[in-house]
Amino acid sequence: MELQAVLMAAGGGSRMPDLTYNTPKPMLPVGNKPLMWHPLNLLERVGFEEVIVITTKEVQKMMSTDPKMKDVKMKLDVVCIQEDGDMGTADALRHIQQKIKTDVLVVSCDLITDVALHEVVDLFRAHNATLAMLMSKAHDFTETVPGQKGKKKTGEQRDFVGVDQSGKRLLFMANEADLEDGLSIRKSIMRKHPRMHIKTGLVDAHLYCLKKAVVDFLADNKSISSIRGELLPYLVRKQFSKTTNCPKSKDDADDQTQKTADGSTNSTELLICSRDEPLLQLAQERSCWNDHRGDMSEAYHGGKLRCYVHIMDQGLCYRVNTLAAYIEANRLASKLLEEPAVHPSAVISERCQMGPDSIIGAQCQVADKTSIKRSTIGNSTTVKEKVKVTNSIIMHGVTIEEGCNIHGCVICSNAVIGRGADLKYCLVGNGQQIEAEGKHRLVSRF
Amino acid sequence: KEEKQRLRKEKKQQKKNKEKNDEKTSHEGEKKKNKKKKEEQPAVPAPAPPPPAAAAVPVPASEAPAPADKPAKSKADLKAERRARQEAERASKGKKGDVGQPAPTGKLKAPPSELQPVVKRLPEHVQVDNPEVVKKLAKKLERQQIPLRSDYGYKVSLFSHLHQYSRKAPLTQQLGIPSTVIHPAIVRLGLQYSQGIVAGSNARSVALLHAFQQVIRDYTTPPNEELSRDLVNKLKPYISFLNQCRPLSASMGNAIKYIKKEISNIPSQCKEEEAKIKLLNCIERYINEKIVLAAKAIAKYSIEKISDGDVILFPPNCSFNAFEKKRKFRVIVVDSRPRLEGREALRRLVQKGISCTYVLISAVSYILPEVSKVFLGAHALLANGYVMSRVGTSQIALVAKAFNVPVLVCCETYKFCERVQTDSFVSNELDDPDDLIVTRKGKTQLEHWQKVPSLGLLNLVYDVTPPDFVDLVITDLGMIPCTSVPVVLRVKNVDQ
């Protein structure tokens, strides 16, 4: 088997506490399907037959009851971990190390994309890379975020990503938070790759192809707990360090195992030798191909650890971890899905005006003289007469009484919007009730 | 019993032919039946069914119109001849000594006892403009569950019978991501071929054998099947896949033939583990003998030919890695677009401390007066003595001949091929035409070449050099003249 897929669905959604208050992030509806359905759909379309899903018990329970998840035809091997949030993504991988038999494709549950996955995997295969990841040009979210007064905080710190001239080889990766004195680049990197492009406007899609040796390495190195935060920068740095080669003699190997027995942590080396190393070496020597030119070294500068990145410049790629991203994703969900926008079991009266960008869920009831534009309406929602819904996300089981005017809002499950309410850019939590004739602007209500 | 059944089938086919006599209009149908029979007959004496790459002998352009001249012979006569041939084959089947012989010698020259023209089969990769052949190929690939790679761009009319693929549309686009039909090592190899990461005849063969080693290691015999037969069947779709990624080279074809023979020769009572270990060792031995040691032997012989103070011309496809610095000589590396493989060769030579000069092929006639010897590398050596090599090699050989500079070809014996070719048109490889597009000073002139209706970009990979221009071939068996290639082939076949 070539690749095993692992879906990380245990994240808490710490950046959108309003929405994840009641519903765990993987089950938030996007386009009337749970958020984790989207990466699963991507994997299924590409041809995977099994996925290991790492999630919490709560999510697992919700998954088994949700009808949309039953649409997923792949075999889902659900592994539950504690919900206390101390487990990072790398810890989770370590937890399932026994199940990993080949190279692994790690996907985050909040990724919504239409990337041609073979682009990333081809980089991984062709160059025998240790890591291949997906990044995308960041899009600015222009819509006003409901419930947030004022401008968006400059919270997100930038990521600096350095790629070589071809734009495929990953040379440098650091977060602004780690670069206090400035960006410093090692001389060894500059000598090998004199032309480096440093990009800041990129979104990491959290889709990684990792070699099996990395998972084994994680098992030995318990200090690494997050893939994105710690493992990736480590791997990118390790590309250019002098010690990433197979131990030359048996003595070296003995020394290393001795050191680990003593407990010093950093001596466990990432061994990426494949079994028929001499043959591969021979093939490389005879091949008249080099990935760079201008200096006297062989292909890949003789380095065995290689990290590659595929940067998408066209197409959709969203990570739904903030409210703005969630709204944007819902907006574009109708483009991604192939199903009809209006669920067949929804009851919609003829005098309702529905825009082409809207999605109506199952068993909805939409009464006369309503106007629904650019919105997503969840399952079992009732919309009474003379309601105007624009640019909004309405989740499941919501009741909207007559005469409401809802613009740019996110209304969570089982909420009740009283008659004649006028909501603009509001965020209504689960089960909340907005009183009749209430007028709210930019409010979060829980 | 099997042979009797096959012969019965043939007779049935002949009866069907008689009935369909009036309906047949083209000679294609007849040729196809002929080639089917020709295929089955050599299959009888040979121990393993030869793969299509080896069994097919591409018809030299001159012979292609030959069947067209045949309508004079009535179909009944041809059938009588075929029956006579079958009787002759059946009679000679008893002798074991001739087992290997009829196949290659029959194809090299028309057997003197039979005077009819021997109709040879055209391989599919040189019949791309024939829709029937393409349909057949598509069906075969569908059966093996391998996607068909579509051709790209406008093809120059002289070469419209060859495939032309684009590097931006890899075959993996149409494969599922965790590839279950094709072993991951083979998918990786196919990608590396199509992207040019593994290029060069030796590198491709070594990489292929390495991938096959992994396939064999991961292989388990299904119940009720024999390893010797099942493994060969398993390898067939992989070979088709690799062929789709990039047409197989002659050296790869020979390596595949060898492996298939070794697999079929495994005795049925051999346990699976033992058989696998045996096969892996065979592959190791093959690589060691035919590639590594052969390179060393060639280097040893070549050194004898180089004297102090020589100036040597090197097009980059020569694998010369075992050069020991016992003589003082200077090298001129000749390079050509779009591959520019000379840069890598230049780097390796300079690393070894040899002083080099680098020119483009357009300067070859300028630089040749300085040169004392020309060393060429070969992709394959054909049975009529022609040397198949990177495009531009024949040009260098021609100019060298004009300047009376000796031309030596270095080629391992495993690259010797039973094909016959006299020109570079019939069988060649068309590389991605977009490689010819270059951006200088921010301007890409050929960017929209597809929109210009009268413009075609041609990126040929190989050409053939006639033996008159080659003075000596240095192989691991020694230094032989170009025309001794059929002798070597014959000796090799007898050995095997």
Side-chain angles (χ1 to χ4, degrees), chain A residues 2 46 48 118 121-122 125-126 128 275-276 279-280 283 285-290 293 295-298, chain B residues 172-173 176-179 184 188 191-192 196-197 199 203 210 213 217 287 321 341 343-344 347-348 351:
Chain A
E2 190 186 0
V46 166
F48 275 95
H118 75 91
V121 183
D122 279 353
R125 290 165 175 155
N128 212 5
R275 189 169 8 185
D276 305 307
L279 262 191
L280 277 181
E285 275 169 33
R286 297 302 164 95
S287 171
C288 40
W289 178 86
N290 205 324
R293 62 184 185 91
D295 65 1
M296 292 297 277
S297 24
E298 45 180 2
Chain B
T172 49
Q173 229 170 8
I177 289 265
S179 59
R188 174 174 300 157
L191 259 179
Q192 288 177 329
I197 296 175
H210 165 74
Q213 271 190 337
R217 253 192 226 114
I287 294 180
N321 302 30
E341 289 164 343
R343 296 189 292 194
E344 184 61 17
R347 177 189 74 82
R348 290 182 194 177
Q351 222 176 18

Side-chain angles (χ1 to χ4, degrees), chain B residues 38 42 57 89 100-112 114 117-120:
Chain B
K38 267 268 109 163
V57 178
E89 291 283 354
Q101 294 299 344
T105 51
K107 282 164 189 146
L108 285 179
K109 38 191 188 262
E114 295 155 317
V118 179
V119 177
K120 301 204 206 305

